[in-house]
Amino acid sequence: GQDFRILSSDTVFDYPAINLSEKEADLMLNGVRIKKDLADGEFKLYREEEFLGIGIVSSGELKFHLRLI
């Protein structure tokens, strides 16, 4: 038989994590870029324990790169 494994986002994406507030997550899920004082790069985005996808910070603004919900 075949073995199947469920991979966690931590296994698949080797990026630092950002835990968004409920308000920040709602804004981003509605297409709004939010201000984040972080270095440019890619990040895993979470709302509490829920993995939302991958975001990109560029010039102090965070937007979705890959949305999973």
Side-chain angles (χ1 to χ4, degrees):
Q2 293 181 331
D3 288 334
F4 296 97
R5 286 187 244 165
I6 297 174
L7 302 174
S8 75
S9 61
D10 293 326
T11 304
V12 177
F13 302 109
D14 188 26
Y15 303 125
I18 296 175
N19 291 303
L20 300 171
S21 70
E22 195 69 34
K23 181 179 179 182
E24 289 174 325
D26 287 345
L27 287 169
M28 288 195 65
L29 290 169
N30 284 297
V32 178
R33 295 177 184 203
I34 61 172
K35 300 281 186 197
K36 282 289 183 188
D37 187 23
L38 296 167
D40 289 358
E42 294 180 297
F43 296 84
K44 293 180 284 191
L45 302 179
Y46 292 89
R47 174 177 49 199
E48 296 183 15
E49 299 292 319
E50 181 181 20
F51 180 57
L52 302 176
I54 301 298
I56 294 179
V57 172
S58 178
S59 300
E61 288 190 337
L62 174 63
K63 68 176 185 173
F64 271 109
H65 176 66
L66 173 64
R67 183 176 164 179
L68 296 177
I69 67 158

